Amino acid sequence: MAANMKAVKLRIKSVQSTMQITKAMELVASSKLRKAKERAETCRPYFHTLHDTLRDIAAGNTEFYSLYARESENPKTCYVVIAGDRGLAGGYNANVFKCMEADCQGREYSVLPIGKKALEYYRRKKVDIVSEEFAEIADVSVSDCFSIAHLLCSKFMSGEFGHIELCYTNFVSMLSQQPEVFSILPLTDLVGEETENTVRDLILYEPDSTTVFDAIVPEYLAGLIYGGVCEGLASELAARRTAMDAATKNAGEMIDQLNLYYNRARQASITQEITEIVAGSEGL
């Protein structure tokens, strides 16, 4: 009985140490989350404005032959997958990978991973990786997003792959983060069908609309990627905060159960000792 009580006591101390760690990680995630959330909300209008500008250029000109807005005959797809640098964030990383795998079924594809977990995952799967320079999402800056965008655009223009998809986690709220995959190249959705009432050539672009369009596309991609990085960071921190909060509560419940078991075992031990003393005194 004494050995059993000692094991329970050690178990309680171990769970208490774990609870201190999870509580500290929850507080760290909470402190970083506010800034990440504000940055994600601030950057959203940027690429929405770029998207509208590209659509206006595509819809307002008759002479429009940009390669970025044409369907490619190359079926190969490049996925820009944004995941986290660390674990202990619930199903955050796993949900991103599941979403991407569901979208790439039956496709020939390569991956540009952003985040340590994404790089490690696709290394294990031996997937063709475009670049490993952006392995830490915490260190990805605006200039890095422009570098990624120019790299993708150059490979797209050279015909190395015909489609580019962005896979990231959309920060909906503190308790909800949704992984999404959407196409960023080619921009065929920007060129709508002409109608009889469509007014064309109202804006003069210098030297021409296609050159302006091709110059804006990398900026547009950089804005999308940076927005995805900001959304991903906020989602990762929110998922980690939720996971660590749940772990802390579970540890507290486990400690309560262990304390109850320890007290019962202690009472049983005391009762047994009293019984033995009474029985010995009666024998005398």
Side-chain angles (χ1 to χ4, degrees):
M1 181 65 72
N4 191 25
M5 290 173 61
K6 184 177 181 181
V8 173
K9 209 166 187 179
L10 291 174
R11 179 66 174 164
I12 291 174
K13 289 183 179 179
S14 174
V15 176
Q16 286 176 340
S17 299
T18 303
M19 186 171 69
Q20 289 177 354
I21 295 172
T22 57
K23 185 64 177 178
M25 293 184 68
E26 178 191 351
L27 293 174
V28 171
S30 299
S31 65
K32 293 181 179 180
L33 179 58
R34 180 179 179 182
K35 185 177 180 180
K37 179 183 176 183
E38 291 176 354
R39 188 170 66 170
E41 293 174 348
T42 302
C43 73
R44 284 175 188 167
Y46 174 67
F47 58 86
H48 285 311
T49 302
L50 285 175
H51 182 276
D52 294 339
T53 304
L54 290 173
R55 184 175 56 193
D56 292 341
I57 295 174
N61 294 269
T62 54
E63 301 295 331
F64 191 77
Y65 303 105
S66 175
L67 294 176
Y68 290 125
R70 291 182 183 177
E71 284 288 351
S72 175
E73 297 180 357
N74 187 352
K76 187 174 182 180
T77 303
C78 177
Y79 286 90
V80 181
V81 183
I82 300 174
D85 289 334
R86 300 175 182 83
L88 298 177
Y92 169 74
N93 293 307
N95 291 335
V96 173
F97 301 145
K98 286 179 182 178
C99 181
M100 183 266 182
E101 288 177 356
D103 188 80
C104 72
Q105 291 293 329
R107 289 187 180 185
E108 180 186 1
Y109 66 93
S110 57
V111 172
L112 195 156
I114 300 177
K116 287 182 179 179
K117 290 297 181 180
L119 179 59
E120 293 172 359
Y121 179 80
Y122 292 109
R123 272 181 179 172
R124 288 196 304 268
K125 296 196 69 176
K126 297 181 180 180
V127 176
D128 179 32
I129 296 176
V130 177
S131 174
E132 299 184 3
E133 297 180 13
F134 312 99
E136 295 191 20
I137 188 172
D139 295 336
V140 174
S141 61
V142 178
S143 61
D144 291 328
C145 292
F146 279 98
S147 299
I148 295 171
H150 285 287
L151 174 64
L152 293 174
C153 289
S154 63
K155 290 184 178 296
F156 180 84
M157 294 293 281
S158 65
E160 188 168 330
F161 36 74
H163 302 273
I164 301 177
E165 308 273 341
L166 179 64
C167 180
Y168 75 109
T169 304
N170 183 30
F171 179 80
V172 180
S173 67
M174 297 288 289
L175 300 176
S176 177
Q177 302 86 39
Q178 297 178 352
E180 295 183 3
V181 178
F182 69 93
S183 177
I184 54 179
L185 280 181
L187 302 172
T188 51
D189 58 328
L190 297 179
V191 185
E193 296 181 359
E194 293 188 25
T195 60
E196 294 180 359
N197 297 326
T198 302
V199 179
R200 297 283 185 170
D201 292 328
L202 296 179
I203 303 175
L204 177 64
Y205 296 96
E206 195 64 40
D208 55 72
S209 60
T210 302
T211 303
V212 174
F213 189 86
D214 290 347
I216 293 177
V217 165
E219 306 282 334
Y220 165 67
L221 258 64
L224 283 179
I225 294 169
Y226 182 70
V229 168
C230 294
E231 294 278 349
L233 278 172
S235 299
E236 180 187 4
L237 291 170
R240 181 170 293 112
R241 179 188 176 279
T242 302
M244 292 301 100
D245 180 56
T248 303
K249 290 179 180 178
N250 291 337
E253 294 175 0
M254 187 179 294
I255 289 172
D256 291 340
Q257 293 176 358
L258 289 171
N259 281 327
L260 181 62
Y261 181 80
Y262 177 80
N263 291 332
R264 286 177 177 175
R266 183 170 174 270
Q267 289 173 359
S269 177
I270 293 172
T271 303
Q272 184 177 357
E273 290 178 3
I274 294 174
T275 302
E276 292 174 352
I277 292 172
V278 172
S281 64
E282 289 178 353
L284 294 175

